[in-house]
PDB file of all heavy atoms in Angstrom:
ATOM      1  N   THR A 381     -13.673   7.754 -11.782  1.00  0.00           N
ATOM      2  CA  THR A 381     -12.874   8.881 -12.280  1.00  0.00           C
ATOM      3  C   THR A 381     -11.520   8.919 -11.589  1.00  0.00           C
ATOM      4  O   THR A 381     -10.496   9.231 -12.207  1.00  0.00           O
ATOM      5  CB  THR A 381     -13.642  10.205 -12.056  1.00  0.00           C
ATOM      6  OG1 THR A 381     -14.911  10.100 -12.698  1.00  0.00           O
ATOM      7  CG2 THR A 381     -12.882  11.383 -12.623  1.00  0.00           C
ATOM      8  N   VAL A 382     -11.510   8.580 -10.298  1.00  0.00           N
ATOM      9  CA  VAL A 382     -10.230   8.520  -9.562  1.00  0.00           C
ATOM     10  C   VAL A 382      -9.326   7.474 -10.216  1.00  0.00           C
ATOM     11  O   VAL A 382      -8.135   7.716 -10.450  1.00  0.00           O
ATOM     12  CB  VAL A 382     -10.476   8.171  -8.076  1.00  0.00           C
ATOM     13  CG1 VAL A 382      -9.151   8.052  -7.330  1.00  0.00           C
ATOM     14  CG2 VAL A 382     -11.377   9.225  -7.425  1.00  0.00           C
ATOM     15  N   ALA A 383      -9.888   6.325 -10.549  1.00  0.00           N
ATOM     16  CA  ALA A 383      -9.106   5.245 -11.176  1.00  0.00           C
ATOM     17  C   ALA A 383      -8.627   5.662 -12.565  1.00  0.00           C
ATOM     18  O   ALA A 383      -7.475   5.395 -12.941  1.00  0.00           O
ATOM     19  CB  ALA A 383      -9.951   3.978 -11.264  1.00  0.00           C
ATOM     20  N   ALA A 384      -9.502   6.340 -13.316  1.00  0.00           N
ATOM     21  CA  ALA A 384      -9.115   6.768 -14.667  1.00  0.00           C
ATOM     22  C   ALA A 384      -7.995   7.799 -14.611  1.00  0.00           C
ATOM     23  O   ALA A 384      -7.096   7.803 -15.459  1.00  0.00           O
ATOM     24  CB  ALA A 384     -10.337   7.340 -15.391  1.00  0.00           C
ATOM     25  N   LEU A 385      -8.045   8.679 -13.618  1.00  0.00           N
ATOM     26  CA  LEU A 385      -6.962   9.652 -13.448  1.00  0.00           C
ATOM     27  C   LEU A 385      -5.662   8.943 -13.072  1.00  0.00           C
ATOM     28  O   LEU A 385      -4.592   9.258 -13.605  1.00  0.00           O
ATOM     29  CB  LEU A 385      -7.347  10.682 -12.378  1.00  0.00           C
ATOM     30  CG  LEU A 385      -8.397  11.709 -12.815  1.00  0.00           C
ATOM     31  CD1 LEU A 385      -9.002  12.417 -11.611  1.00  0.00           C
ATOM     32  CD2 LEU A 385      -7.782  12.744 -13.761  1.00  0.00           C
ATOM     33  N   ALA A 386      -5.767   7.958 -12.170  1.00  0.00           N
ATOM     34  CA  ALA A 386      -4.566   7.203 -11.770  1.00  0.00           C
ATOM     35  C   ALA A 386      -3.934   6.519 -12.977  1.00  0.00           C
ATOM     36  O   ALA A 386      -2.703   6.458 -13.091  1.00  0.00           O
ATOM     37  CB  ALA A 386      -4.924   6.181 -10.699  1.00  0.00           C
ATOM     38  N   ASP A 387      -4.771   6.042 -13.880  1.00  0.00           N
ATOM     39  CA  ASP A 387      -4.268   5.351 -15.076  1.00  0.00           C
ATOM     40  C   ASP A 387      -3.403   6.256 -15.956  1.00  0.00           C
ATOM     41  O   ASP A 387      -2.563   5.768 -16.707  1.00  0.00           O
ATOM     42  CB  ASP A 387      -5.441   4.817 -15.922  1.00  0.00           C
ATOM     43  CG  ASP A 387      -6.055   3.576 -15.309  1.00  0.00           C
ATOM     44  OD1 ASP A 387      -5.427   2.988 -14.395  1.00  0.00           O
ATOM     45  OD2 ASP A 387      -7.171   3.206 -15.732  1.00  0.00           O
ATOM     46  N   VAL A 388      -3.649   7.570 -15.874  1.00  0.00           N
ATOM     47  CA  VAL A 388      -2.823   8.500 -16.668  1.00  0.00           C
ATOM     48  C   VAL A 388      -1.833   9.253 -15.781  1.00  0.00           C
ATOM     49  O   VAL A 388      -1.287  10.289 -16.174  1.00  0.00           O
ATOM     50  CB  VAL A 388      -3.694   9.487 -17.488  1.00  0.00           C
ATOM     51  CG1 VAL A 388      -4.520   8.739 -18.519  1.00  0.00           C
ATOM     52  CG2 VAL A 388      -4.586  10.331 -16.582  1.00  0.00           C
ATOM     53  N   GLY A 389      -1.624   8.740 -14.573  1.00  0.00           N
ATOM     54  CA  GLY A 389      -0.581   9.287 -13.706  1.00  0.00           C
ATOM     55  C   GLY A 389      -0.968  10.520 -12.926  1.00  0.00           C
ATOM     56  O   GLY A 389      -0.097  11.254 -12.454  1.00  0.00           O
ATOM     57  N   VAL A 390      -2.273  10.752 -12.785  1.00  0.00           N
ATOM     58  CA  VAL A 390      -2.735  11.920 -12.021  1.00  0.00           C
ATOM     59  C   VAL A 390      -3.275  11.448 -10.672  1.00  0.00           C
ATOM     60  O   VAL A 390      -4.208  10.638 -10.621  1.00  0.00           O
ATOM     61  CB  VAL A 390      -3.831  12.696 -12.790  1.00  0.00           C
ATOM     62  CG1 VAL A 390      -4.335  13.876 -11.964  1.00  0.00           C
ATOM     63  CG2 VAL A 390      -3.310  13.171 -14.137  1.00  0.00           C
ATOM     64  N   ALA A 391      -2.681  11.941  -9.603  1.00  0.00           N
ATOM     65  CA  ALA A 391      -3.096  11.547  -8.253  1.00  0.00           C
ATOM     66  C   ALA A 391      -4.249  12.426  -7.772  1.00  0.00           C
ATOM     67  O   ALA A 391      -4.425  13.549  -8.250  1.00  0.00           O
ATOM     68  CB  ALA A 391      -1.916  11.662  -7.296  1.00  0.00           C
ATOM     69  N   VAL A 392      -5.017  11.887  -6.811  1.00  0.00           N
ATOM     70  CA  VAL A 392      -6.187  12.593  -6.290  1.00  0.00           C
ATOM     71  C   VAL A 392      -6.066  12.746  -4.771  1.00  0.00           C
ATOM     72  O   VAL A 392      -5.767  11.771  -4.068  1.00  0.00           O
ATOM     73  CB  VAL A 392      -7.476  11.808  -6.638  1.00  0.00           C
ATOM     74  CG1 VAL A 392      -8.670  12.346  -5.856  1.00  0.00           C
ATOM     75  CG2 VAL A 392      -7.749  11.883  -8.139  1.00  0.00           C
ATOM     76  N   MET A 393      -6.278  13.976  -4.310  1.00  0.00           N
ATOM     77  CA  MET A 393      -6.359  14.218  -2.860  1.00  0.00           C
ATOM     78  C   MET A 393      -7.698  14.904  -2.598  1.00  0.00           C
ATOM     79  O   MET A 393      -8.017  15.918  -3.233  1.00  0.00           O
ATOM     80  CB  MET A 393      -5.174  15.055  -2.382  1.00  0.00           C
ATOM     81  CG  MET A 393      -3.833  14.370  -2.674  1.00  0.00           C
ATOM     82  SD  MET A 393      -2.433  14.948  -1.701  1.00  0.00           S
ATOM     83  CE  MET A 393      -2.129  16.542  -2.431  1.00  0.00           C
ATOM     84  N   ALA A 394      -8.474  14.349  -1.686  1.00  0.00           N
ATOM     85  CA  ALA A 394      -9.851  14.816  -1.469  1.00  0.00           C
ATOM     86  C   ALA A 394      -9.918  15.843  -0.347  1.00  0.00           C
ATOM     87  O   ALA A 394      -9.243  15.708   0.678  1.00  0.00           O
ATOM     88  CB  ALA A 394     -10.739  13.626  -1.116  1.00  0.00           C
ATOM     89  N   TRP A 395     -10.780  16.848  -0.529  1.00  0.00           N
ATOM     90  CA  TRP A 395     -10.981  17.863   0.502  1.00  0.00           C
ATOM     91  C   TRP A 395     -12.473  17.977   0.803  1.00  0.00           C
ATOM     92  O   TRP A 395     -13.290  17.599  -0.050  1.00  0.00           O
ATOM     93  CB  TRP A 395     -10.437  19.208   0.038  1.00  0.00           C
ATOM     94  CG  TRP A 395     -10.884  19.611  -1.325  1.00  0.00           C
ATOM     95  CD1 TRP A 395     -10.293  19.355  -2.521  1.00  0.00           C
ATOM     96  CD2 TRP A 395     -12.095  20.328  -1.660  1.00  0.00           C
ATOM     97  NE1 TRP A 395     -11.047  19.852  -3.558  1.00  0.00           N
ATOM     98  CE2 TRP A 395     -12.156  20.455  -3.059  1.00  0.00           C
ATOM     99  CE3 TRP A 395     -13.155  20.861  -0.881  1.00  0.00           C
ATOM    100  CZ2 TRP A 395     -13.211  21.100  -3.724  1.00  0.00           C
ATOM    101  CZ3 TRP A 395     -14.198  21.491  -1.537  1.00  0.00           C
ATOM    102  CH2 TRP A 395     -14.214  21.606  -2.946  1.00  0.00           C
ATOM    103  N   THR A 396     -12.892  18.503   1.892  1.00  0.00           N
ATOM    104  CA  THR A 396     -12.103  18.638   3.113  1.00  0.00           C
ATOM    105  C   THR A 396     -12.674  17.579   4.032  1.00  0.00           C
ATOM    106  O   THR A 396     -13.818  17.732   4.491  1.00  0.00           O
ATOM    107  CB  THR A 396     -12.249  20.047   3.712  1.00  0.00           C
ATOM    108  OG1 THR A 396     -11.836  21.000   2.732  1.00  0.00           O
ATOM    109  CG2 THR A 396     -11.416  20.225   4.961  1.00  0.00           C
ATOM    110  N   ALA A 397     -11.927  16.524   4.244  1.00  0.00           N
ATOM    111  CA  ALA A 397     -12.420  15.299   4.864  1.00  0.00           C
ATOM    112  C   ALA A 397     -12.293  15.399   6.383  1.00  0.00           C
ATOM    113  O   ALA A 397     -11.313  14.949   6.976  1.00  0.00           O
ATOM    114  CB  ALA A 397     -11.643  14.104   4.321  1.00  0.00           C
ATOM    115  N   ASN A 398     -13.311  16.000   6.999  1.00  0.00           N
ATOM    116  CA  ASN A 398     -13.240  16.238   8.445  1.00  0.00           C
ATOM    117  C   ASN A 398     -13.944  15.183   9.275  1.00  0.00           C
ATOM    118  O   ASN A 398     -13.859  15.207  10.501  1.00  0.00           O
ATOM    119  CB  ASN A 398     -13.821  17.621   8.761  1.00  0.00           C
ATOM    120  CG  ASN A 398     -12.880  18.728   8.329  1.00  0.00           C
ATOM    121  OD1 ASN A 398     -11.669  18.499   8.164  1.00  0.00           O
ATOM    122  ND2 ASN A 398     -13.409  19.917   8.127  1.00  0.00           N
ATOM    123  N   ASP A 399     -14.632  14.253   8.636  1.00  0.00           N
ATOM    124  CA  ASP A 399     -15.311  13.175   9.358  1.00  0.00           C
ATOM    125  C   ASP A 399     -14.489  11.892   9.205  1.00  0.00           C
ATOM    126  O   ASP A 399     -14.371  11.344   8.102  1.00  0.00           O
ATOM    127  CB  ASP A 399     -16.712  12.972   8.756  1.00  0.00           C
ATOM    128  CG  ASP A 399     -17.474  11.866   9.456  1.00  0.00           C
ATOM    129  OD1 ASP A 399     -16.898  11.188  10.338  1.00  0.00           O
ATOM    130  OD2 ASP A 399     -18.653  11.668   9.100  1.00  0.00           O
ATOM    131  N   PRO A 400     -13.899  11.397  10.296  1.00  0.00           N
ATOM    132  CA  PRO A 400     -13.070  10.192  10.197  1.00  0.00           C
ATOM    133  C   PRO A 400     -13.808   9.008   9.578  1.00  0.00           C
ATOM    134  O   PRO A 400     -13.167   8.140   8.967  1.00  0.00           O
ATOM    135  CB  PRO A 400     -12.694   9.901  11.656  1.00  0.00           C
ATOM    136  CG  PRO A 400     -12.748  11.232  12.319  1.00  0.00           C
ATOM    137  CD  PRO A 400     -13.882  11.973  11.653  1.00  0.00           C
ATOM    138  N   ALA A 401     -15.123   9.003   9.664  1.00  0.00           N
ATOM    139  CA  ALA A 401     -15.879   7.902   9.067  1.00  0.00           C
ATOM    140  C   ALA A 401     -15.729   7.878   7.544  1.00  0.00           C
ATOM    141  O   ALA A 401     -15.971   6.847   6.907  1.00  0.00           O
ATOM    142  CB  ALA A 401     -17.352   8.016   9.452  1.00  0.00           C
TER     143      ALA A 401
END
Side-chain angles (χ1 to χ4, degrees):
T381 304
V382 178
L385 286 164
D387 284 346
V388 296
V390 178
V392 168
M393 301 200 287
W395 49 270
T396 302
N398 287 339
D399 180 355

